[in-house]
Every structure is written in structure tokens, then in C-alpha cells.
Amino acid sequence: MIAVFLRELRSYYFSPIGYIFMGFFLLLAGFFFATDNVLRSNPQFQGVLSSIIFVFLVIVPILTMRLFADEKRQRTDQLLLTVPVSVTGIVLGKYFAAVAVFLFTLLVTVLYPVTMSFFGRLPGWEILGGYVGFFLLGCTFIAVGMLMSSLTDNQVISAVSTFAALLLMWIIDFVQNGVPAGTVPGIVFASCLGALVVLWVYLATRNLIISTAMLVLLATLIVVAVFSLEGFYETFIIDFLAWFSLTSRFQRFMGGVLALSPIVYYVSFSTVLVFLTVRVIERNRWT
Amino acid sequence: MITVEGVSKRYGQHLAVDDISFRVDAGEVVGFLGPNGAGKSTTMNIITGYLSATAGSVSVDGFDVLEDPDQVKRRVGYLPELPPLYLDMTVREYLRFVARLKKADRSTVVQQQERILELAGIGHVRNRLIKNLSKGYRQRVGLAQALVGSPRVLILDEPTIGLDPHQIIEIRNLIRELGHEHTIILSSHILPEVSAVCDRVIIINRGKLVASDTTENLGKRLHDNSEFRLRVAGSEAAALAALTGVAGVNEVSAQGTVEQGTVDLRVETAAGADPRRAIFHALSEADLPIYLMTAMDYTLEEIFLQLTTQDAAGGAAPESGDNGSGGAPDAPDAPDVGGSDA
């Protein structure tokens, strides 16, 4: 894992990718710092981080697009998968390398609040919270990008699909207000989800018995929920979408609150994505 | 050392490898031969654990590739068809990275690296970026990569592809040298390479194992009736007339004229007979001087073509051992393997 980590880190800084990522990020951070903080004499630096999120959607794909796509294209995955290193080790090594580049870039921006602190009192906890939240958010974005990269051998497809996935998660906050609320739409939506899960199980296993059992189980759960959980379906669609809203959790950090639940949310979200990446790589051996 | 048992690999509807079994003993150098798309690379990928077989099992040194992948991978050095090189690294950095991946013993890494650089003949390019190396040198770096960690088994997929003739000879010599301390499987569609380097040949075609034997034994198996090629100065009719009825000659056929005023003949002899003296006297009596008389020894090419085309045509399996009576098909005239394979 350490060998993969070091090589990956090295390749970020021996190729333009690391510099493009850092340069772009720091350029925009500087721009927002100038307009939000310097010109307005505003000490709320976490606002700058919040503004960068949108740009971050665009530059995370740059950071993650080649992680696995390039290995597959260059056939170097044949080396990685035939040496005594576990797939988990390879995936984690690459993930932490991308996270390290991101963390390093983020630490450079600490210069801004430090500079400001010479000229007045800063909302220290809010800024710290903003940093922690932004770091966790970034780690999750990177995990999304890595998963996308493992699904293709084309860097462009990897980058575009990462951008699309992140954009979807970002706009969830806006579309949430527009989705239909109410019991009937909730039940319909839950049934559609259940049908998709069953279809996926069937396509994965090609086993009618397991699929049917799954169908019966999910149908029972949906029906039971109608009677036992009052109000469950009322806001089901909204609640479901909110699971995938990465940015809404970020807002809590900006208030200077280091709550456990968003931290757990980000960490577990990333863990699931890393695990899925491992599965994708292992599955490739069987096809 | 390596045991492959009933391995099959299916890609969707396409059966790339069909129930292949063989064993490779420690210290053997085995050639893996087959036309393009025969399943050579797939089989090698399965042995190294890069791909998983749809059915069957592979074990190296007693460790199953699925159950103890780490133990297997520690023992195997692999050079895939395309060397897995990171173009943005220098040769030295790359080899050090591979050593770390293979968890090679740190105390001997530097010493070993020097030896590998020297063996592969890439010492003078060690500080160059792999991106800037020619194909031949990249191939050598790939081979060097397989040697890192001194694995007991080397699996080399077309190790001489893309090299110039001089380099091919060098790499062949290197492989022969490595054969003293490693068990080697190498694949190739260049037949002289295999006959030059390997103790044993495994021929596969369309995912099936067609033959597995030493080069000489394979030749004997297909070579019940010896044959001669003759070039005789004179007319075709006269030559044919002179040779009919000579003791020990089964069949004579004219092969056309290559040199002006001569005729080329193919003479098939009865099993065990050596009619060369009789042929000489018969032709001498008819005043037909012999310009050329050579035995038609089967080269690996011909064995290969014969085995693979027979298989493609669904003809008698060579294992039956009875393909002498009908006359072995003339290998050079056999249909193009590549064409029938496509």
C-alpha cells in the first residue's frame, strides 16, 4: 500500500495534473479571498471555502480521472494485480495519495486566515469547522471520482462521469423542494427502488429463487412500513435524496459545530465508495 | 511446480480457454505455442492470478492461485504481452517500485537490482525515463521487472516481440541462462524461438491443448513415413518412370520445376526403408543426374501447422497416432492457420 501511495503521489507532482489541480484551486481560493474577505473587510473565511465547492466539482475529476483508468489503459494493472499486494491495499494507496494532494493544497490556503489574523479577531472555530468539513467533503468527492475511474479505461469518460455524479449530488439540495411529497408518491417511489434492487440482484446472480425471495422480502417491508411507520412515506422521497446530499452536511461545520453525525456520514460514505471500488477491481478478474 | 487442471475461461459467449490441463516441473523451460487468439495470454493471465478461471484450478508450488494468491504471486514473475511500465518513471525508480511491491528483501535489493540491470542489458539507460526508451528497451525493462525479487517461476508472454534480430538472440540467450535457476513458461508464435530455447512445447489452438511434448517427440509422432525431396536433371516423365518400382519407394510425385532443365520430386518411402542407394542407382541408369536430395524433416513450423489445421478441420486428433497411412498433409501447402482461426 505504501509503495502504491508513494508512486501515485510522485506521479501527481511529476505530471501536470497535480499542478493543474493545485494551481486552479489556489487561484480561485485567492480570488474569493480577495473579493469576499479583503475587499469587503470580512473575517468569515469559511465563506470562501463554501464558494469554492462549486469549482471543486470541476477540479476533483482532474485529480481522480487517471487513478485507475490510466492503469487499465497502460496495462500497468497487470503488474499491480500480479504482485503480492491486496486489491484493498492498491485502492487505499491510490485514494490516500489523491487525498494527500488535496490536503496539501488545502493547507496552503491556511495562509489566508493566518494573514488576516494579524489584522483583527477571526471567528476561529467557524474557520476550523469550515476546514474540517471541507476536507471531509473533499475526501468523499475523491472517493466518488476514484470509483468512476475504476469503471472505465478512458480518462475523459472517467472525468465527465465524476463531474456528472458530483453535480447530481450538489443539485439535490435544490431539487429537494420540488419533488412531490405525500404518501402515494412515496410508496410509488419506494416500489420503484425495490424493483431496481431486485432487477440488479437478478442480473448479478441470474438466480430466480434468490431474486424472488428478494422481491417478496422488499414488498413485505414496503407494505409493513405503510402501516407501522406513520409519516414515513410522507417525506420518503425527500429523505431518500437527502442521503446523497453531501453539501448540506457541510453547512453545519461552517457554524463551528464539530458534530459527530456529519463526520460519521462523510467517513462512512467514503468507506462505502472505496469498498465498491475494490469490488469493481476484483470483479474485472472474472469477466 | 505449476499444475493447471481443467482450466476454462469464458468471455460472455466466447470460450477463450477450453479445459486445458498440464504440468510444468521445477527447472523446466516450456514453450507455449499457438496462433493469435489461441488463448496463450489468457492462460498466462490465469496462472499469474490476473484473471480468474471460469472453471478449473491452478497451483504453483502447491499453493492454489485462488486460495493463496499471495503465496503464488510471491513465486511468480510475470512479463505480460505489453510490458506494464510507468512511462513517467526512470528505469531505476521503476525497478525500485516493483521491488517494494514485491516486498523484496531490503538488504539485497540494491545488489540484486545491479545484477538485473546487467542481465537485461539496461544498465546504461537506468536513469532515463521509460517514456523515452525504444520498444526493445522497454521490453527489456519489462523482463527486468519480472526478475525482481528472484521469483522461482517466470512467465513470459512473447518476450521477444518488437525486438530486432540481434536483440532477439540476446534475449533468447538470457532466457536460456535464466532457465538454469528458474522454471520458465514462455509463449511465442515464433517457432524457431521455442525450439531454440525450450525443453518442451505445449501447443494450443482455439483454447484447446493440441499437443504437449518435447520438440523431437512431436516430430516423431507426425513422422511415420520419411520423405525425400529430389531435384533431377531431365524430364518429369523420365524421372517418374525411372523411380516407379524402386524397392522401398511408396509414392513419387512431381513438384514442378525450380531450376531450368530439372524437375523436383517428392518421394515417400515405406516405413523403415532407406531407398536412397536404390534411387541413386535407378536414376543413374536412366542417365538422370541427381542435383539435390534432402530429407523432409519436419520443422516445428510444420508440426505446428499440421496440428492446428487438423484441429481446425475437426480431423483425427494427433493422439490417435494414426495419420501415416493417408499421407501427412504437405505442411507448406496447408491452409493458412491465421485465416482459418479468424
Side-chain angles (χ1 to χ4, degrees):
Chain A
M1 178 181 130
I2 291 162
V4 176
F5 171 79
L6 290 175
R7 201 213 80 78
E8 208 59 44
L9 199 59
R10 189 190 157 285
S11 90
Y12 273 126
Y13 289 106
F14 278 77
S15 71
I17 287 181
Y19 297 104
I20 289 174
F21 175 80
M22 283 187 80
F24 212 61
F25 188 91
L26 293 175
L27 177 76
L28 285 151
F31 175 76
F32 286 119
F33 173 65
T35 54
D36 285 11
N37 295 131
V38 178
L39 295 178
R40 289 192 198 162
S41 306
N42 172 10
Q44 305 286 340
F45 185 72
Q46 69 274 32
V48 172
L49 293 175
S50 176
S51 313
I52 301 176
I53 289 183
F54 178 64
V55 184
F56 205 47
L57 298 181
V58 185
I59 58 173
V60 160
I62 297 176
L63 195 63
T64 59
M65 62 183 184
R66 38 164 290 284
L67 280 178
F68 284 101
D70 202 36
E71 299 274 357
K72 260 190 271 181
R73 167 143 292 184
Q74 306 285 349
R75 303 286 189 91
T76 42
D77 58 335
Q78 284 196 313
L79 172 66
L80 294 181
L81 295 175
T82 54
V83 291
V85 176
S86 67
V87 177
T88 314
I90 296 166
V91 171
L92 284 180
K94 283 178 172 283
Y95 178 64
F96 287 134
V99 166
V101 172
F102 164 57
L103 181 64
F104 183 61
T105 315
L106 197 59
L107 286 179
V108 173
T109 67
V110 172
L111 283 174
Y112 297 136
V114 168
T115 315
M116 282 199 294
S117 70
F118 297 136
F119 302 101
R121 272 177 57 83
L122 291 186
W125 291 112
E126 283 86 343
I127 292 177
L128 184 67
Y131 267 110
V132 171
F134 195 74
F135 174 67
L136 289 171
L137 182 68
C139 291
T140 317
F141 279 12
I142 289 169
V144 172
M146 184 171 69
L147 176 63
M148 292 300 169
S149 184
S150 72
L151 289 168
T152 171
D153 60 1
N154 185 318
Q155 292 192 35
V156 176
I157 293 175
S158 160
V160 170
S161 56
T162 306
F163 175 66
L166 294 179
L167 193 67
L168 257 173
M169 289 175 175
W170 190 63
I171 58 173
I172 280 175
D173 289 346
F174 307 110
V175 299
Q176 255 177 4
N177 307 321
V179 298
T183 311
V184 176
I187 293 173
V188 171
F189 185 68
S191 310
C192 290
L193 276 182
L196 277 178
V197 170
V198 171
L199 185 68
W200 177 75
V201 167
Y202 176 69
L203 289 177
T205 61
R206 299 266 166 197
N207 186 326
L208 265 181
I209 299 169
I210 294 178
S211 312
T212 317
M214 196 79 192
L215 183 68
V216 172
L217 179 74
L218 285 176
T220 322
L221 277 178
I222 289 169
V223 173
V224 166
V226 172
F227 298 106
S228 58
L229 298 169
E230 201 157 326
F232 177 73
Y233 285 110
E234 196 70 33
T235 57
F236 179 70
I237 304 181
I238 295 170
D239 294 343
F240 179 80
L241 290 179
W243 277 357
F244 295 96
S245 171
L246 294 172
T247 40
S248 67
R249 267 93 180 167
F250 176 61
Q251 307 301 331
R252 292 183 64 183
F253 286 101
M254 303 234 297
V257 183
L258 279 185
L260 190 62
S261 77
I263 295 179
V264 170
Y265 171 81
Y266 282 130
V267 171
S268 49
F269 204 98
S270 307
T271 311
V272 168
L273 288 168
V274 168
F275 173 75
L276 282 176
T277 310
V278 173
R279 299 303 309 161
V280 168
I281 306 281
E282 297 212 325
R283 192 203 59 188
N284 283 344
R285 283 173 40 190
W286 295 93
T287 50
Chain B
M1 193 69 188
I2 304 171
T3 314
V4 174
E5 262 177 33
V7 163
S8 298
K9 179 72 184 177
R10 187 181 282 283
Y11 293 114
Q13 289 300 308
H14 174 64
L15 196 59
V17 173
D18 185 4
D19 194 20
I20 281 186
S21 304
F22 61 86
R23 279 175 55 94
V24 177
D25 292 323
E28 259 190 312
V29 180
V30 170
F32 222 55
L33 210 57
N36 295 328
K40 300 183 298 260
S41 296
T42 306
T43 312
M44 291 184 145
N45 277 332
I46 290 171
I47 297 173
T48 53
Y50 177 67
L51 290 176
S52 297
T54 314
S57 68
V58 174
S59 67
V60 175
D61 207 7
F63 293 100
D64 189 277
V65 80
L66 276 184
E67 282 159 27
D68 290 303
D70 253 39
Q71 292 297 333
V72 171
K73 287 170 183 177
R74 264 170 217 277
R75 284 165 172 75
V76 177
Y78 183 32
L79 169 65
E81 207 170 356
L82 266 164
L85 306 173
Y86 290 100
L87 303 181
D88 57 352
M89 295 175 116
T90 66
V91 172
R92 206 196 341 210
E93 283 168 339
Y94 174 68
L95 291 180
R96 200 177 300 153
F97 168 63
V98 176
R100 266 200 217 115
L101 279 181
K102 293 189 176 178
K103 297 173 181 135
D105 188 359
R106 267 159 203 260
S107 55
T108 59
V109 156
V110 177
Q111 191 190 339
Q112 208 203 8
Q113 195 174 324
E114 284 306 314
R115 207 183 126 243
I116 290 170
L117 285 169
E118 193 195 323
L119 264 179
I122 49 176
H124 58 292
V125 295
R126 69 180 75 180
N127 290 321
R128 299 252 302 264
L129 282 176
I130 294 176
K131 185 161 42 181
N132 298 331
L133 294 180
S134 69
K135 188 154 172 33
Y137 273 104
R138 289 186 189 186
Q139 191 71 27
R140 291 181 198 210
V141 177
L143 188 60
Q145 164 273 122
L147 295 175
V148 171
S150 23
R152 290 163 68 183
V153 176
L154 286 177
I155 299 199
L156 312 173
D157 198 351
E158 313 235 349
T160 57
I161 203 164
L163 302 182
D164 63 42
H166 180 66
Q167 293 171 324
I168 288 179
I169 292 168
E170 274 180 24
I171 294 287
R172 266 186 218 163
N173 289 338
L174 174 58
I175 291 171
R176 217 174 284 139
E177 205 172 303
L178 291 170
H180 298 315
E181 32 187 311
H182 301 267
T183 305
I184 301 180
I185 300 185
L186 74 95
S187 82
S188 181
H189 57 254
I190 309 166
L191 305 140
E193 177 166 294
V194 172
S195 51
V197 174
C198 301
D199 309 327
R200 194 151 67 87
V201 185
I202 291 172
I203 298 180
I204 63 172
N205 187 37
R206 299 183 156 205
K208 282 204 173 74
L209 195 135
V210 183
S212 160
D213 213 333
T214 58
T215 323
E216 301 96 82
N217 280 350
L218 276 177
K220 274 184 210 149
R221 197 145 85 177
L222 291 163
H223 204 191
D224 293 343
N225 290 13
S226 44
E227 290 173 2
F228 291 101
R229 195 153 67 87
L230 274 176
R231 182 168 296 167
V232 176
S235 73
E236 188 182 310
L240 285 175
L243 285 174
T244 38
V246 175
V249 172
N250 260 5
E251 205 185 318
V252 183
S253 55
Q255 301 284 302
T257 299
V258 177
E259 208 178 314
Q260 218 179 2
T262 66
V263 60
D264 281 21
L265 303 162
R266 207 178 85 177
V267 179
E268 225 172 88
T269 65
D274 185 359
R276 278 176 290 186
R277 188 177 284 270
I279 290 173
F280 168 76
H281 285 305
L283 289 172
S284 158
E285 258 166 48
D287 193 22
L288 294 165
I290 299 174
Y291 279 23
L292 185 78
M293 184 189 311
T294 54
M296 297 259 280
D297 250 349
Y298 281 83
T299 62
L300 202 49
E301 255 103 349
E302 287 156 345
I303 298 169
F304 176 71
L305 276 171
Q306 220 162 311
L307 286 169
T308 49
T309 45
Q310 266 176 4
D311 188 59
E319 278 78 14
S320 68
D322 179 29
N323 41 13
S325 56
D330 188 15
D333 292 343
D336 177 26
V337 179
S340 65
D341 190 58

